[in-house]
Amino acid sequence: MTAHRGPASAVVLGLGLGLGLGLGLLGMGEARAADTLEGEKIIRLKFSGNRKTEDEAIRINLTQQVGEKLSRDRLRDDARSVWRMGYFEDVKVDAEDVPGGVALTWIVIEKPTIRKIFVAGASEVGLDKINEVLDLKKETILDNAKVKKNVEKVRDLYVEKGFYLADVTSEVKRITQNEVDVYIHVDEHAKVEVRQIRFLGNQAATEEELRAAIGTQEGGWLSFLTSSGTYREDAFDRDILMLTAFYYDKGHLNVKIGKPEIALSADRHYLYITIPLDEGPQYRIGKLDFKGDLVAPREEYFRRLSVKSGEMFNRSKLGNDIIKLNDLYKDKGYAYVNITPLTGIDADARTVDLTFEIQQGQKVFFERIHIRGNTKTRDKVIRRELKVSEGEIYNQALLDHSKRRVQALGFFEKVELSTKRGTADDRIEVNIEVTERPTGTFQIGAGFSSVENFIGQAQVSQNNLFGRGQTLTLQAQISSLRQLFSLRFLDPYFFDTPITFAFSVYNQLLYYPSFNRTARGGDLTWGYLIGDNLRVFGTYKLESVTVAQNQTGLVVGGFAPSAQASPGTITNLFRSGLISSLRLSMNWDTRNDRLFPTKGIFLSLAGEIADPTVLQSQADFWRVTGFLRFYYPIWGPFIFRTNIETGYVSARGSQGVPIYERYFLGGINTVRGYQLFSLGPKVNILQEQDPNAFQVPFNIGGNLQLIGNFEIEFPIFPQVQIKGVLFFDVGNSFNTERKWCAGVLHTNIPEPSDPCNLLERGFGGTFGNLRTSLGFGFRWVSPIGPLRFEWGIPVNRLPGEDPIVFEFTIGNFF
């Protein structure tokens, strides 16, 4: 800090802070000059040298503002604050004696900005991967500490990829007075692979069991897919804790894991890891007891325990038991219960006595329930899914159930729930943090499918309309299998009641191998929520249906050319008219996510009737349907998925069920491994109205269907939402109408039998005629919608059927 006398009208006070050397100290003579300005009123603040930093950004860090009295100590603190902004190489302040007070000028020298960032020496790890971890930006002020942090990030990336010996350094080159280039130099060295992991001192566990207990694995020929063989120091530190936990679960309470020895091969390509350990003796559980605040009979406590007296000590089981005991109290309102397992170790008998000491605390009530992160979804959409309310007694089970219900809406990527103390010890606040996912789509596109050939579609869909939880979909689709124009609206909580309201209008043309079905109409649905998971519905549908036989030789979708049948032989099947039907259904839904479920059950049962007398329908039939969908995580990210579906349709009139209400199976959406609509009963018909005409097989479809789809779905590239699937399918459609029995062909069932005579031979014969297939595929949630690529292999293939069928399409399955 320097001070000198200027012209007679001014005194200049300089306060400097440069390059981290600290503030200069005043000499005696300078102090007297500074004292002449101490206490003067600050008239004006000016800033000099700041090219990119706004004046206000500096001003906000100052305590000495216009109108205040100058303080030498506060000025020194302000200089430190400006310096700590990290934008400047030097900070000075000049004080000038002016009429009425003093004018302060802050003089700064800005750090240079980053012009370019270069990465040199990177070849094994792509620049795109390095750029993902770098957070240095061009045209920003140089921050040396941030440069060092980015060097560490790149080094960590190389370690993660197996380059344990990689060396990463940085260099800053000044290009101009105000610009620098940052260089990150990488010396990759050779990739280091964990060749062997050995254990010394293990007797109670094999090396295979110990290797399976840790995350670091030996390298192999699949290492490029599984990342096995990669050594990371932080991950290996966790492995030591995992080994300790492994032995605790086997009763070795005194296990000691020694310092691992890591040896590098002579060519510096491989690591050899040796882990010494002392297992110590095994301990069994001795006496079990409870003390403290007990709220239930002791039998209830023992019933909740999975650990038993006399069995080997297992810390994981003990931890789970403590959670169960905690839930017993938390479900009764004791949110702050404390359960401590007291151990009594008998080294001679090698037993551990466990006494659970329980301090229940006082009962707690919900005070406030806060919902955050829902920028679009209204609070009421979330709150109506909650099973807890403000003012009620605390209940952990209902709180967990509420979280699952909010997640099941399908509107959120994540739902996180936390609690904190309220305004008093007996009050608790709940915080629900949600991360919204996109629920609306606007799509205009075209594609190609092996099932539908060319597909053109346009869709505007919103599953969370105006944040109210309503669904509105306007869709148009044109392909070689269908032409569809539809509008659908659904409100699961009509006017915030348990009532469901939905309607749809549509114009649809569907192409089958032997006929076309055109339907124009709509439906109206009312439903009611019973309990948490059950909904009942009533639907009235009114549609005009026109059905016509395909033209000779017409190739539709994946079909072969279909022959024109004589109208006289199957005329009754091709009946057009008005369908007026009433459908009653019930749905039981416990899925954890309605869009992408991984756990839960979806069960649906329905009955439909189209009656000429009551409903004035020109078509006369009744139908019962049902399906069961089951989802369960079997191991890690592997999800077991099941779809079991059945349907039966019959007509009271002699003409039978119209062809457009019958079941045609085969293809990617029913039984994979078989050509589209190729499964089902066929009849011999005349190719033309001539007694001498050739007879050709004609697929009349079944009035009974059975379908089973069993899948294991797993992620392949989670970042881009690509999954793999292994599947087993079973199913077929059958005819039970006796008018067709005499002419039924058995070209698609392994063992010929009468498919009509179910009463005499029972359904066991029908199940024997089911067709099965195995297969695999890939699924991608793409910008244009879910894409499926699947290969099906028939198990009981018949002559003329393909050994493998590949299909791909747009849309979800189940």
Side-chain angles (χ1 to χ4, degrees):
M1 181 173 181
T2 59
H4 61 274
R5 178 69 60 181
S9 61
V11 175
V12 179
L13 174 66
L15 179 66
L17 179 64
L19 299 178
L21 297 178
L23 291 169
L25 297 176
L26 289 173
M28 292 300 295
E30 295 167 330
R32 285 191 299 271
D35 289 341
T36 62
L37 299 177
E38 185 83 13
E40 293 286 336
K41 183 179 180 181
I42 300 174
I43 301 300
R44 184 171 61 250
L45 278 178
K46 294 192 301 184
F47 302 94
S48 174
N50 53 317
R51 296 172 294 102
K52 292 194 173 183
T53 308
E54 298 288 341
D55 289 355
E56 288 303 316
I58 303 175
R59 191 190 307 273
I60 200 173
N61 288 276
L62 304 179
T63 63
Q64 292 271 271
Q65 300 288 344
V66 173
E68 297 184 358
K69 293 182 179 181
L70 180 65
S71 169
R72 181 175 180 273
D73 292 336
R74 290 176 63 188
L75 204 60
R76 187 184 298 273
D77 291 340
D78 285 350
R80 290 194 179 97
S81 297
V82 175
W83 173 261
R84 282 194 294 266
M85 292 175 66
Y87 299 155
F88 311 114
E89 290 183 331
D90 191 26
V91 178
K92 293 181 181 180
V93 59
D94 281 348
E96 183 180 1
D97 191 8
V98 296
V102 62
L104 295 183
T105 301
W106 287 90
I107 304 170
V108 297
I109 299 177
E110 286 186 329
K111 291 181 179 180
T113 57
I114 299 175
R115 187 185 68 138
K116 291 182 179 180
I117 303 169
F118 298 94
V119 178
S123 58
E124 296 295 331
V125 177
L127 284 177
D128 56 337
K129 296 295 182 183
I130 294 177
N131 285 330
E132 287 179 5
V133 301
L134 290 178
D135 58 5
L136 286 176
K137 304 296 182 183
K138 295 189 297 183
E139 304 301 327
T140 59
I141 294 175
L142 175 67
D143 186 339
N144 288 313
K146 193 172 184 178
V147 172
K148 291 180 180 179
K149 288 181 181 179
N150 277 262
V151 168
E152 292 301 321
K153 288 182 179 181
V154 176
R155 184 179 291 114
D156 291 342
L157 174 64
Y158 269 88
V159 171
E160 182 180 336
K161 298 297 183 182
F163 294 88
Y164 181 62
L165 303 177
D167 186 28
V168 183
T169 59
S170 64
E171 180 184 7
V172 177
K173 292 184 179 180
R174 190 176 288 271
I175 304 304
T176 66
Q177 180 65 28
N178 300 317
E179 290 183 320
V180 296
D181 287 346
V182 176
Y183 288 81
I184 296 178
H185 299 284
V186 180
D187 188 355
E188 294 178 331
H189 296 288
K191 187 174 184 178
V192 180
E193 181 180 281
V194 177
R195 174 54 61 93
Q196 186 182 54
I197 302 176
R198 297 176 59 243
F199 300 89
L200 297 179
N202 57 302
Q203 296 178 351
T206 65
E207 290 201 348
E208 288 73 17
E209 290 176 319
L210 295 176
R211 291 192 191 100
I214 62 178
T216 302
Q217 297 293 313
E218 297 175 347
W221 64 280
L222 287 177
S223 295
F224 70 99
L225 288 177
T226 63
S227 297
S228 62
T230 301
Y231 177 81
R232 294 181 58 187
E233 188 173 356
D234 57 340
F236 194 70
D237 290 341
R238 291 194 297 271
D239 288 342
I240 300 302
L241 298 177
M242 292 170 67
L243 279 177
T244 304
F246 172 83
Y247 272 103
Y248 280 166
D249 287 349
K250 288 185 172 293
H252 296 273
L253 300 184
N254 299 326
V255 62
K256 296 178 181 178
I257 310 296
K259 184 178 180 180
E261 298 178 3
I262 301 175
L264 191 63
S265 63
D267 59 3
R268 302 172 69 85
H269 285 176
Y270 302 105
L271 282 179
Y272 297 85
I273 302 175
T274 302
I275 304 176
L277 49 89
D278 180 6
E279 294 177 331
Q282 281 184 304
Y283 286 81
R284 293 185 177 273
I285 296 176
K287 298 178 182 179
L288 295 172
D289 200 5
F290 303 89
K291 71 175 185 178
D293 303 321
L294 304 185
V295 297
R298 288 179 178 270
E299 292 76 14
E300 174 65 18
Y301 290 86
F302 283 107
R303 188 185 64 81
R304 289 177 176 261
L305 293 183
S306 62
V307 297
K308 305 297 180 184
S309 181
E311 72 177 18
M312 204 65 67
F313 180 87
N314 186 303
R315 191 175 69 169
S316 293
K317 290 178 65 175
L318 177 61
N320 291 332
D321 287 346
I322 292 175
I323 293 175
K324 294 176 184 177
L325 294 175
N326 268 283
D327 290 343
L328 171 64
Y329 280 80
K330 289 183 176 181
D331 291 348
K332 295 179 180 294
Y334 299 102
Y336 301 122
V337 61
N338 184 30
I339 300 178
T340 305
L342 304 178
T343 59
I345 298 178
D346 187 337
D348 295 330
R350 294 183 180 177
T351 60
V352 181
D353 294 336
L354 292 175
T355 301
F356 297 90
E357 185 179 47
I358 303 173
Q359 297 174 327
Q360 67 181 20
Q362 61 180 332
K363 286 191 175 183
V364 176
F365 297 83
F366 291 111
E367 184 173 27
R368 294 289 297 167
I369 299 176
H370 305 282
I371 300 175
R372 298 184 176 92
N374 54 322
T375 57
K376 175 185 176 182
T377 307
R378 302 193 178 196
D379 273 13
K380 70 175 184 179
V381 174
I382 299 174
R383 290 187 184 275
R384 67 193 181 196
E385 301 297 330
L386 303 182
K387 307 307 292 183
V388 297
S389 301
E390 295 170 351
E392 292 182 347
I393 193 169
Y394 183 89
N395 188 298
Q396 185 66 46
L398 294 180
L399 202 58
D400 294 339
H401 184 44
S402 299
K403 177 182 176 181
R404 291 192 294 269
R405 286 175 57 88
V406 174
Q407 184 72 63
L409 287 172
F411 303 155
F412 311 110
E413 294 286 354
K414 291 191 304 182
V415 178
E416 297 178 348
L417 189 148
S418 61
T419 59
K420 68 176 182 178
R421 181 185 180 278
T423 56
D425 290 340
D426 64 342
R427 295 291 183 266
I428 194 168
E429 294 187 358
V430 178
N431 294 316
I432 301 175
E433 296 276 353
V434 299
T435 302
E436 291 186 318
R437 65 162 55 128
T439 57
T441 59
F442 175 74
Q443 297 177 357
I444 297 179
F448 187 82
S449 164
S450 63
V451 179
E452 304 191 45
N453 293 342
F454 174 80
I455 300 175
Q457 66 175 7
Q459 176 175 298
V460 178
S461 177
Q462 178 54 257
N463 293 326
N464 189 12
L465 186 65
F466 304 126
R468 298 176 179 269
Q470 301 166 335
T471 298
L472 179 66
T473 302
L474 177 62
Q475 183 180 18
Q477 188 178 100
I478 299 176
S479 72
S480 58
L481 273 187
R482 76 185 72 220
Q483 295 180 21
L484 171 65
F485 304 91
S486 67
L487 172 66
R488 176 170 175 77
F489 174 80
L490 168 66
D491 187 350
Y493 292 90
F494 190 59
F495 288 117
D496 297 321
T497 67
I499 297 175
T500 299
F501 170 72
F503 72 87
S504 65
V505 292
Y506 52 86
N507 185 349
Q508 184 180 53
L509 170 62
L510 294 178
Y511 297 98
Y512 288 85
S514 51
F515 68 95
N516 303 336
R517 180 185 192 272
T518 302
R520 300 178 179 89
D523 57 52
L524 181 67
T525 298
W526 292 96
Y528 192 81
L529 176 64
I530 302 175
D532 293 338
N533 306 309
L534 178 64
R535 286 184 184 269
V536 293
F537 301 94
T539 301
Y540 175 73
K541 179 174 68 175
L542 181 65
E543 64 178 356
S544 174
V545 177
T546 303
V547 60
Q549 195 175 345
N550 282 336
Q551 298 176 1
T552 303
L554 179 65
V555 179
V556 180
F559 310 136
S562 56
Q564 177 85 359
S566 170
T569 59
I570 51 174
T571 301
N572 289 335
L573 283 176
F574 295 87
R575 304 193 305 275
S576 302
L578 188 69
I579 296 179
S580 175
S581 70
L582 181 64
R583 184 173 185 266
L584 300 178
S585 61
M586 56 166 285
N587 291 350
W588 175 268
D589 191 354
T590 64
R591 293 174 296 175
N592 61 345
D593 192 315
R594 293 170 192 169
L595 297 182
F596 302 100
T598 59
K599 189 176 182 179
I601 293 174
F602 187 24
L603 172 66
S604 179
L605 300 174
E608 181 183 10
I609 184 170
D611 185 76
T613 304
V614 178
L615 300 175
Q616 302 299 306
S617 175
Q618 293 177 339
D620 182 6
F621 64 88
W622 60 272
R623 181 197 313 272
V624 290
T625 59
F627 65 79
L628 170 66
R629 293 173 181 175
F630 175 72
Y631 310 85
Y632 189 77
I634 53 177
W635 179 69
F638 289 77
I639 308 299
F640 177 67
R641 299 157 49 93
T642 299
N643 175 58
I644 299 175
E645 190 170 346
T646 185
Y648 179 78
V649 59
S650 181
R652 291 173 294 181
S654 60
Q655 293 180 325
V657 178
I659 194 169
Y660 51 79
E661 297 294 341
R662 303 173 75 87
Y663 300 112
F664 296 84
L665 302 189
I668 195 169
N669 292 318
T670 53
V671 183
R672 290 160 287 193
Y674 300 93
Q675 293 294 342
L676 187 66
F677 299 149
S678 63
L679 300 183
K682 299 179 176 64
V683 296
N684 279 328
I685 62 173
L686 296 175
Q687 190 171 11
E688 58 186 36
Q689 289 183 329
D690 184 341
N692 299 320
F694 289 105
Q695 288 191 334
V696 294
F698 185 88
N699 190 345
I700 63 171
N703 67 321
L704 169 67
Q705 72 166 0
L706 297 171
I707 301 173
N709 309 108
F710 307 90
E711 298 183 344
I712 295 179
E713 190 178 70
F714 51 91
I716 299 179
F717 301 109
Q719 297 84 354
V720 291
Q721 295 185 301
I722 295 180
K723 298 179 181 180
V725 62
L726 303 174
F727 64 82
F728 171 76
D729 287 352
V730 58
N732 209 340
S733 66
F734 309 90
N735 178 66
T736 65
E737 293 185 316
R738 294 196 175 275
K739 64 175 294 182
W740 301 110
C741 291
V744 170
L745 293 176
H746 308 288
T747 57
N748 68 331
I749 52 178
E751 299 178 3
S753 59
D754 182 1
C756 300
N757 199 359
L758 294 177
L759 296 178
E760 293 181 9
R761 63 183 173 83
F763 280 93
T766 296
F767 295 148
N769 295 331
L770 293 173
R771 309 303 307 278
T772 56
S773 65
L774 298 168
F776 61 93
F778 304 94
R779 292 168 180 174
W780 175 34
V781 183
S782 73
I784 65 170
L787 302 181
R788 297 167 53 205
F789 305 84
E790 295 172 359
W791 290 259
I793 304 170
V795 174
N796 46 356
R797 184 165 64 96
L798 298 178
E801 293 180 337
D802 297 327
I804 185 169
V805 176
F806 167 68
E807 296 176 292
F808 62 96
T809 189
I810 300 176
N812 279 323
F813 190 14
F814 66 90

